[in-house]
Coordinates of all heavy atoms in Angstrom, one line a residue:
R1 N 0.8 -1.2 0.0 CA 0.0 0.0 0.0 C 0.9 1.3 0.0 O 1.7 1.4 0.9 CB -0.9 0.0 1.2 CG -1.9 1.1 1.3 CD -2.8 1.1 2.4 NE -3.6 2.2 2.5 CZ -4.4 2.5 3.5 NH1 -4.4 1.8 4.5 NH2 -5.1 3.7 3.5
W2 N 0.7 2.1 -1.0 CA 1.6 3.2 -1.1 C 1.5 4.2 0.1 O 0.4 4.6 0.5 CB 1.2 4.0 -2.4 CG 2.2 5.0 -2.8 CD1 3.5 4.9 -2.9 CD2 1.9 6.4 -3.2 NE1 4.1 6.0 -3.3 CE2 3.1 7.0 -3.5 CE3 0.7 7.1 -3.2 CZ2 3.2 8.3 -3.9 CZ3 0.8 8.4 -3.7 CH2 2.1 9.0 -4.0
F3 N 2.7 4.6 0.6 CA 2.7 5.3 1.9 C 2.0 6.7 1.7 O 1.6 7.2 2.7 CB 4.1 5.5 2.3 CG 5.0 6.3 1.4 CD1 5.1 7.7 1.6 CD2 5.7 5.8 0.3 CE1 5.8 8.5 0.8 CE2 6.4 6.6 -0.5 CZ 6.5 8.0 -0.3
E4 N 1.9 7.2 0.6 CA 1.3 8.6 0.5 C -0.2 8.5 0.8 O -0.7 9.5 1.4 CB 1.5 9.1 -0.9 CG 1.1 10.6 -1.1 CD 1.7 11.5 -0.1 OE1 2.9 11.2 0.4 OE2 1.2 12.5 0.2
E5 N -0.8 7.4 0.7 CA -2.2 7.3 1.1 C -2.3 7.5 2.6 O -3.2 8.1 3.1 CB -2.8 5.9 0.7 CG -3.0 5.8 -0.8 CD -3.4 4.4 -1.2 OE1 -4.0 3.7 -0.3 OE2 -3.2 4.0 -2.3
I6 N -1.3 6.8 3.3 CA -1.3 6.9 4.7 C -1.0 8.3 5.2 O -1.6 8.9 6.1 CB -0.2 5.9 5.3 CG1 -0.5 4.5 4.8 CG2 -0.1 6.0 6.8 CD1 -1.8 3.9 5.3
K7 N 0.0 9.0 4.5 CA 0.5 10.3 4.8 C -0.8 11.3 4.7 O -1.0 12.1 5.6 CB 1.6 10.8 3.9 CG 2.2 12.1 4.2 CD 3.3 12.3 3.3 CE 3.9 13.7 3.3 NZ 5.0 13.9 2.4
S8 N -1.5 11.1 3.6 CA -2.7 12.0 3.4 C -3.7 11.7 4.5 O -4.3 12.8 5.0 CB -3.3 11.6 2.0 OG -4.5 12.3 1.8
D9 N -4.0 10.5 4.8 CA -5.0 10.2 5.9 C -4.5 10.8 7.2 O -5.3 11.4 7.9 CB -5.1 8.7 6.1 CG -6.2 8.3 6.9 OD1 -7.2 9.1 7.1 OD2 -6.3 7.1 7.4
L10 N -3.2 10.7 7.6 CA -2.7 11.2 8.8 C -2.8 12.8 8.8 O -3.3 13.3 9.8 CB -1.3 10.8 9.0 CG -0.6 11.3 10.2 CD1 -1.2 10.9 11.5 CD2 0.9 10.9 10.2
L11 N -2.5 13.4 7.7 CA -2.6 14.9 7.7 C -4.0 15.4 7.9 O -4.3 16.3 8.6 CB -2.0 15.4 6.3 CG -0.5 15.4 6.3 CD1 -0.1 15.7 4.9 CD2 0.2 16.2 7.2
K12 N -5.0 14.6 7.2 CA -6.4 15.0 7.5 C -6.8 15.0 8.9 O -7.4 15.8 9.5 CB -7.3 14.1 6.7 CG -7.4 14.5 5.2 CD -8.5 13.8 4.6 CE -8.1 12.4 4.2 NZ -9.0 11.6 3.4
R13 N -6.3 13.9 9.6 CA -6.7 13.8 11.0 C -6.0 14.8 11.9 O -6.5 15.3 12.8 CB -6.3 12.4 11.4 CG -7.2 11.4 10.8 CD -6.9 9.9 11.1 NE -7.7 9.0 10.3 CZ -8.0 7.8 10.7 NH1 -7.6 7.3 11.8 NH2 -8.7 7.0 9.9
I14 N -4.6 15.1 11.6 CA -3.9 16.1 12.4 C -4.5 17.5 12.2 O -4.6 18.2 13.1 CB -2.4 16.1 12.0 CG1 -1.8 14.8 12.5 CG2 -1.7 17.3 12.5 CD1 -0.4 14.6 12.0
E15 N -5.0 17.8 11.0 CA -5.6 19.1 10.7 C -6.9 19.2 11.3 O -7.6 20.2 11.1 CB -5.6 19.3 9.2 CG -4.2 19.5 8.6 CD -4.3 19.4 7.0 OE1 -5.3 19.2 6.5 OE2 -3.2 19.6 6.5
G16 N -7.4 18.2 11.9 CA -8.7 18.3 12.6 C -9.9 18.0 11.7 O -11.0 18.2 12.2
K17 N -9.7 17.5 10.5 CA -10.8 17.2 9.6 C -11.5 15.9 10.1 O -12.6 15.7 9.6 CB -10.3 17.2 8.2 CG -9.9 18.5 7.7 CD -9.4 18.5 6.3 CE -8.8 19.8 5.9 NZ -8.1 19.8 4.6
E18 N -10.8 15.1 10.8 CA -11.3 13.8 11.2 C -10.8 13.7 12.7 O -9.8 14.2 13.1 CB -10.9 12.6 10.4 CG -11.4 12.7 9.0 CD -11.0 11.5 8.2 OE1 -10.6 10.5 8.8 OE2 -11.0 11.6 6.9
E19 N -11.5 12.8 13.4 CA -11.1 12.5 14.8 C -9.7 11.9 14.8 O -9.3 11.1 13.8 CB -12.1 11.5 15.4 CG -11.7 11.2 16.8 CD -12.7 10.1 17.4 OE1 -13.8 9.9 16.8 OE2 -12.3 9.5 18.4
F20 N -8.9 12.2 15.7 CA -7.5 11.7 15.8 C -7.1 11.4 17.2 O -7.4 12.2 18.1 CB -6.5 12.7 15.2 CG -5.1 12.3 15.3 CD1 -4.7 11.4 14.3 CD2 -4.2 12.8 16.2 CE1 -3.3 11.0 14.3 CE2 -2.9 12.4 16.2 CZ -2.5 11.5 15.3
N21 N -6.5 10.2 17.4 CA -6.0 9.8 18.7 C -4.8 8.9 18.5 O -4.5 8.5 17.4 CB -7.1 9.2 19.6 CG -7.6 7.9 19.0 OD1 -6.9 7.1 18.4 ND2 -8.9 7.8 19.1
I22 N -4.1 8.6 19.5 CA -2.8 7.8 19.4 C -3.1 6.4 18.9 O -2.2 5.9 18.1 CB -2.1 7.8 20.8 CG1 -0.7 7.3 20.6 CG2 -2.9 6.9 21.8 CD1 0.2 8.2 19.8
E23 N -4.2 5.8 19.1 CA -4.5 4.5 18.6 C -4.5 4.6 17.0 O -4.1 3.7 16.3 CB -5.8 3.9 19.1 CG -5.7 3.5 20.6 CD -5.8 4.7 21.6 OE1 -6.3 5.7 21.2 OE2 -5.3 4.5 22.7
M24 N -5.1 5.7 16.6 CA -5.2 5.8 15.1 C -3.8 6.0 14.5 O -3.5 5.5 13.4 CB -6.0 7.0 14.7 CG -7.5 6.8 15.0 SD -8.4 8.3 14.7 CE -10.0 7.8 15.0
L25 N -2.9 6.8 15.2 CA -1.6 7.0 14.7 C -0.8 5.6 14.6 O -0.2 5.3 13.7 CB -0.8 7.9 15.7 CG 0.6 8.1 15.2 CD1 0.8 8.7 13.9 CD2 1.3 9.1 16.3
I26 N -1.0 4.8 15.7 CA -0.4 3.4 15.7 C -0.9 2.6 14.6 O -0.1 1.9 13.9 CB -0.6 2.8 17.1 CG1 0.2 3.5 18.2 CG2 -0.3 1.3 17.0 CD1 -0.2 3.1 19.6
E27 N -2.2 2.7 14.3 CA -2.8 1.9 13.2 C -2.2 2.4 11.9 O -1.9 1.6 11.0 CB -4.3 2.1 13.2 CG -5.0 1.4 12.0 CD -6.5 1.8 11.9 OE1 -7.0 2.4 12.8 OE2 -7.0 1.5 10.8
L28 N -2.1 3.7 11.7 CA -1.5 4.2 10.5 C 0.0 3.7 10.2 O 0.4 3.4 9.2 CB -1.6 5.8 10.5 CG -2.9 6.3 10.3 CD1 -2.9 7.8 10.5 CD2 -3.5 6.0 8.9
V29 N 0.8 3.8 11.3 CA 2.1 3.3 11.2 C 2.2 1.8 10.9 O 3.0 1.4 10.1 CB 2.9 3.6 12.5 CG1 4.2 3.0 12.6 CG2 3.0 5.2 12.7
D30 N 1.3 1.1 11.5 CA 1.3 -0.4 11.2 C 1.0 -0.7 9.8 O 1.4 -1.7 9.3 CB 0.2 -1.1 12.2 CG 0.7 -1.2 13.6 OD1 1.9 -1.1 13.8 OD2 -0.1 -1.5 14.4
K31 N 0.2 0.1 9.1 CA -0.2 -0.1 7.8 C 0.9 0.3 6.8 O 0.8 -0.1 5.6 CB -1.4 0.7 7.4 CG -2.7 0.2 8.1 CD -3.8 1.1 7.7 CE -5.1 0.7 8.3 NZ -6.2 1.6 8.0
T32 N 1.9 1.0 7.2 CA 3.0 1.4 6.3 C 4.1 0.5 6.3 O 4.2 -0.5 7.1 CB 3.4 2.9 6.7 OG1 4.0 2.8 8.0 CG2 2.4 3.9 6.6
D33 N 5.2 0.8 5.6 CA 6.4 0.1 5.6 C 7.0 0.3 6.9 O 7.7 1.3 7.2 CB 7.3 0.7 4.5 CG 8.6 0.0 4.2 OD1 8.9 -0.8 5.1 OD2 9.2 0.3 3.2
T34 N 6.8 -0.6 7.9 CA 7.2 -0.4 9.3 C 8.7 -0.5 9.6 O 9.1 -0.1 10.6 CB 6.5 -1.4 10.1 OG1 6.8 -2.7 9.7 CG2 5.0 -1.2 10.1
V35 N 9.5 -1.1 8.7 CA 10.9 -1.2 9.0 C 11.7 -0.2 8.2 O 12.6 0.5 8.7 CB 11.4 -2.7 8.7 CG1 12.9 -2.8 8.9 CG2 10.7 -3.6 9.6
N36 N 11.5 -0.1 7.0 CA 12.4 0.7 6.1 C 12.6 2.1 6.5 O 13.7 2.6 6.2 CB 11.9 0.5 4.7 CG 12.2 -0.9 4.1 OD1 13.0 -1.6 4.7 ND2 11.4 -1.3 3.1
P37 N 11.6 2.9 7.0 CA 11.9 4.3 7.4 C 13.0 4.4 8.4 O 13.7 5.4 8.5 CB 10.6 4.8 7.9 CG 9.6 3.9 7.4 CD 10.2 2.5 7.2
F38 N 13.2 3.4 9.2 CA 14.1 3.5 10.3 C 15.4 2.8 10.1 O 16.4 3.0 10.9 CB 13.5 2.8 11.6 CG 12.1 3.5 11.9 CD1 11.0 2.8 11.6 CD2 12.0 4.7 12.4 CE1 9.7 3.4 11.8 CE2 10.8 5.4 12.6 CZ 9.7 4.6 12.4
F39 N 15.6 2.0 9.0 CA 16.8 1.2 8.8 C 17.4 1.5 7.5 O 16.7 1.8 6.5 CB 16.6 -0.3 8.9 CG 16.2 -0.7 10.3 CD1 14.9 -0.9 10.6 CD2 17.1 -0.9 11.3 CE1 14.4 -1.3 11.9 CE2 16.8 -1.3 12.6 CZ 15.4 -1.5 12.9

């Protein structure tokens, strides 16, 4: 799943257009390439 979809979803939530909480952030991170950004 292309990471930009996740980035767009996260930005909408951060900007207050949708409800946002830490569980949602964890879910978004879990859906992305979880290893490669860090290694």
Side-chain angles (χ1 to χ4, degrees):
R1 183 175 175 193
W2 190 50
F3 68 90
E4 187 56 23
E5 293 173 23
I6 302 299
K7 184 176 172 183
S8 173
D9 191 22
L10 179 59
L11 287 173
K12 278 193 277 185
R13 292 177 186 205
I14 289 172
E15 292 169 356
K17 295 177 183 170
E18 293 183 21
E19 181 184 345
F20 179 76
N21 59 42
I22 193 65
E23 289 79 22
M24 291 176 175
L25 177 60
I26 291 168
E27 178 188 348
L28 290 171
V29 170
D30 284 344
K31 289 179 182 175
T32 62
D33 184 348
T34 57
V35 173
N36 290 336
F38 305 103
F39 295 100

